[in-house]
Amino acid sequence: MDRPKETTLNFAALSARPGNEPGQAPAPGQQGLGLEPVRDTLLYVPSGLQPGQPAPLIFLLHGAGGEAAGGLSLLSAFAETHKIVLAAPSSRGSTWDGVRGAFGPDVQTINRALERIFTLVFIDPGRIAVGGFSDGASYALALGLANGDLFSRVIAFSPGFVPPVPRSGQPRIFVSHGDSDSVLPIDRTSRRLVPVLEAGGYDVTYREFSGPHTVPAGIAQEAVDWLGWQS
């Protein structure tokens, strides 16, 4: 039986929160969390994290038909230089549940992954972001708006829309979109959703670029610089 709409939307809320400093930090590099038998969440820990110094975290979401490695690759070039921990889950289906309309299994997977990460790495509670590309960007906007008390920043590369969710907190938002995007045309997506977000009181940085449905290196660099989390 379908859940009532209000209950379905409330499943976008996450309960995981960073706590005290963990004991032994994991070895630097990429690793699976071991929470899922297939399509596991990936974690990347940069080298040189200082003991006792909390690190920033960006949680990254792939586009439709993708998997965790694609999400991680969005900003993997900056993990070492900026000393930012990256994590990327895989959707349970071909795309994220909230993009299809009903939140549930993917939110549960993400919550378990965050709980595990917070036991492994000392994460700064004031420097946690969620980001994504395409469907992952739409889902990142939903999770960010629903969990603004957890995610202080949202990075949305070429989103399609903002799934409706009960909103909590006031995260800052970075949106980019190519003016020649044939997958999610800009006139029907970001040029509409950005003004709505701004009218809702959100601080939005918006960047259009000449190009298709992609994340240019310069845009990725600008998004990381926008965070202001350089070590």
Side-chain angles (χ1 to χ4, degrees), residues 137-214:
S138 298
Y139 203 61
L141 285 167
L143 291 183
L145 297 183
N147 300 278
D149 53 344
L150 172 64
F151 300 116
S152 62
R153 305 285 190 275
V154 181
I155 298 173
F157 297 122
S158 305
F161 71 112
V162 182
V165 290
R167 300 185 178 187
S168 173
Q170 202 75 12
R172 293 175 57 201
I173 301 170
F174 180 96
V175 178
S176 69
H177 216 116
D179 60 9
S180 301
D181 191 330
S182 61
V183 178
L184 294 171
I186 193 169
D187 284 332
R188 301 205 305 261
T189 56
S190 290
R191 285 179 180 169
R192 292 184 180 181
L193 67 85
V194 167
V196 172
L197 289 170
E198 291 174 333
Y202 293 97
D203 180 347
V204 183
T205 296
Y206 179 46
R207 294 290 180 264
E208 293 188 5
F209 60 89
S210 298
H213 194 61
T214 188

Side-chain angles (χ1 to χ4, degrees), residues 3 5-17 97-99 101-108 110-111 114 138-151 163-168:
R3 302 186 187 96
K5 184 176 181 182
E6 293 78 8
T7 304
T8 300
L9 295 180
N10 285 336
F11 275 109
L14 299 164
S15 62
R17 294 294 184 275
D97 52 21
V99 172
F103 292 89
D106 287 327
V107 176
Q108 294 163 12
I110 288 167
N111 201 64
L114 285 168
S138 298
Y139 203 61
L141 285 167
L143 291 183
L145 297 183
N147 300 278
D149 53 344
L150 172 64
F151 300 116
V165 290
R167 300 185 178 187
S168 173

Side-chain angles (χ1 to χ4, degrees), residues 20-38:
N20 297 325
E21 179 182 356
Q24 183 67 38
Q30 180 176 308
Q31 57 197 274
L33 290 183
L35 298 176
E36 308 292 337
V38 294

Side-chain angles (χ1 to χ4, degrees), residues 114-139:
L114 285 168
E115 288 177 337
R116 179 62 174 155
I117 291 165
F118 294 152
T119 68
L120 293 173
V121 188
F122 192 18
I123 298 297
D124 185 342
R127 293 189 295 166
I128 304 175
V130 62
F133 170 65
S134 193
D135 273 10
S138 298
Y139 203 61

